[in-house]
Amino acid sequence: MATNGTSDLKRKQGIVSSLCKHFSLDPKAFSSQVPGNDIKALYINILKSSGKESPQNNDEVMKWIAFADSFPSDSKACHGGLNELNTDLAKKSVLLGNGFTPSEADVIVFSVVHSSMIALSTPEKEKLPHVMRWMDYIQNSEDLGALFEKILLEKPVFEPQIAKAAAKPEVTSIAKGTVQNTKITDKPDTEKNAKKSDSADAKKKAKGDKEAVPEKKAPEKEASDKDKELSVSLLNIQVGLIRKAWKHPSADSLLVEEIDVGEAKVRQVVSGLAKYCSPEDLTNRRVVLITNVKPGKLRDVMSEGLVLCASNEDHTKVEPLLLPEGAKPGECISFSGIDGKPEDVLNPKKKQLEKITPNLFTDEKGVATFKGIPFMTSAGPCTSSIPKASIK
């Protein structure tokens, strides 16, 4: 292993602790084995103690153990390994396992790369979006918060700005008060002049107070409202299965689909896909759709949803987003680190959809994302054959 003795020992202790958490074992039972064994031997011993059999994909587990074993402890030398990991995670939620269920390989690799990710600067972390998303998911799903420090990306950037904005009005107000008190004390002129001074100071103070209040409170409220308006959590995005599709009776550019989203009855949706897909192409195809748009008629035909499609820049190529095998009709699309309850029905007057869709796009690998965070199903991410595409 490419580490010195101390960091090697610490790394293996972290692996043992997280594996024991994964298998519900007491790590103290294996503490004496840490110094004299490599990662592979420790894994095999813990697996045997758990009573579980070797996984069917044991060769893949061993491949990732070899990756962990050769991963350098020096953060300056780890970029190659992290880039390799980022590429591998571009189109899946976990290294091994079924859909969202992490494997022992995920736990081992997480434990090994954690210290290197902590040491990276924010710009370096931003270049590894899939690793960041995966690490956040593994830490939460495996409940490793007590063993490993949370890896932060945005917090160090925004905290100083918030503190500065809050402090500015107070300093301004105090400074004005000090000037006023000095003038009153240092110029004990006639009663008439004193009254004039008091009146002028009172006006200044009133003006200062009026200026200070909006500076302190308004930006924070506006930022909060803006974030809420732009959150993808407002959208109810689900997996659907097109049971039937046909041409719109009075519009050549439109198709009508009956889509199963796991409800008692299918939804009827009108889509502008006639130039790009035939009804036969869409029949029995799984799609991603927004189900909380306000129902309405398109050329006299009722539509109860919006099928999300990827499009290249000049709109010569448009296709519905692709779903991984195993994604089931009705399940909701999730975004790592983004929580919130969808609106029951989007309000067209607020233009919520128009504000959110500019942040929907596919990355260079064709993975569908919201601001770089993948559209995730229980079976993995949604994708498209069109990289760097807009999604609407």
Side-chain angles (χ1 to χ4, degrees), residues 23 29 124 134 149-150 201 204 210 284 287 301:
F23 288 116
E124 288 173 323
W134 167 76
E149 178 185 347
K150 188 81 171 176
D201 287 339
K204 287 181 181 179
K210 286 179 182 178
N284 293 321
V287 290
V301 175

Side-chain angles (χ1 to χ4, degrees), residues 19-270:
L19 275 176
C20 286
K21 185 88 172 174
H22 180 75
F23 288 116
S24 300
L25 298 173
D26 183 359
K28 293 179 181 178
F30 303 92
S31 57
S32 62
Q33 300 180 27
V34 173
N37 287 289
D38 59 14
I39 296 176
K40 180 178 178 180
L42 289 169
Y43 163 67
I44 291 172
N45 292 340
I46 292 172
L47 182 66
K48 286 180 179 177
S49 298
S50 72
K52 298 182 182 294
E53 297 180 357
S54 296
Q56 293 182 346
N57 57 355
N58 191 56
D59 289 344
E60 285 293 306
V61 174
M62 291 301 159
K63 183 193 87 169
W64 285 111
I65 288 177
F67 172 88
D69 206 34
S70 62
F71 193 83
S73 61
D74 183 358
S75 59
K76 294 180 181 179
C78 69
H79 293 286
L82 290 175
N83 287 332
E84 177 186 341
L85 184 61
N86 193 63
T87 300
D88 197 89
L89 286 166
K91 292 193 175 184
K92 55 187 178 182
S93 54
V94 292
L95 294 176
L96 298 177
N98 181 20
F100 276 126
T101 306
S103 68
E104 46 267 54
D106 288 273
V107 172
I108 291 170
V109 175
F110 173 93
S111 304
V112 166
V113 305
H114 179 271
S115 60
S116 295
M117 287 298 294
I118 284 284
L120 294 180
S121 65
T122 295
E124 288 173 323
K125 290 173 185 173
E126 288 175 341
K127 293 178 181 178
L128 301 166
H130 306 303
V131 175
M132 287 291 294
R133 178 258 308 164
W134 167 76
M135 294 198 75
D136 181 68
Y137 179 69
I138 298 300
Q139 185 156 18
N140 292 331
S141 61
E142 291 290 314
D143 193 21
L144 299 177
L147 299 177
F148 296 94
E149 178 185 347
K150 188 81 171 176
I151 299 176
L152 301 175
L153 182 61
E154 295 182 345
K155 190 173 180 181
V157 176
F158 289 105
E159 267 193 335
Q161 295 179 8
I162 292 171
K164 184 177 179 182
K168 185 177 179 182
E170 294 176 7
V171 172
T172 304
S173 179
I174 292 169
K176 289 187 176 182
T178 303
V179 171
Q180 292 162 9
N181 292 337
T182 303
K183 285 182 179 179
I184 294 167
T185 305
D186 292 348
K187 294 187 179 182
D189 209 341
T190 64
E191 185 178 356
K192 185 177 180 180
N193 288 338
K195 286 182 179 179
K196 285 183 179 179
S197 177
D198 289 345
S199 176
D201 287 339
K203 288 180 180 178
K204 287 181 181 179
K205 184 176 185 302
K207 185 179 179 183
D209 289 344
K210 286 179 182 178
E211 291 174 351
V213 170
E215 276 182 16
K216 185 175 181 180
K217 295 180 180 178
E220 185 178 344
K221 184 177 185 300
E222 287 172 6
S224 176
D225 290 344
K226 186 177 180 182
D227 288 344
K228 187 176 179 181
E229 286 178 358
L230 297 178
S231 175
V232 74
S233 63
L234 295 176
L235 308 182
N236 193 20
I237 308 178
Q238 294 180 268
V239 176
L241 176 63
I242 298 177
R243 297 292 187 184
K244 183 180 177 183
W246 63 95
K247 293 181 179 180
H248 191 287
S250 57
D252 292 340
S253 63
L254 302 178
L255 295 178
V256 186
E257 305 100 27
E258 287 184 352
I259 305 179
D260 178 3
V261 290
E263 298 171 334
K265 62 178 234 176
V266 295
R267 287 182 178 241
Q268 181 171 282
V269 176
V270 179

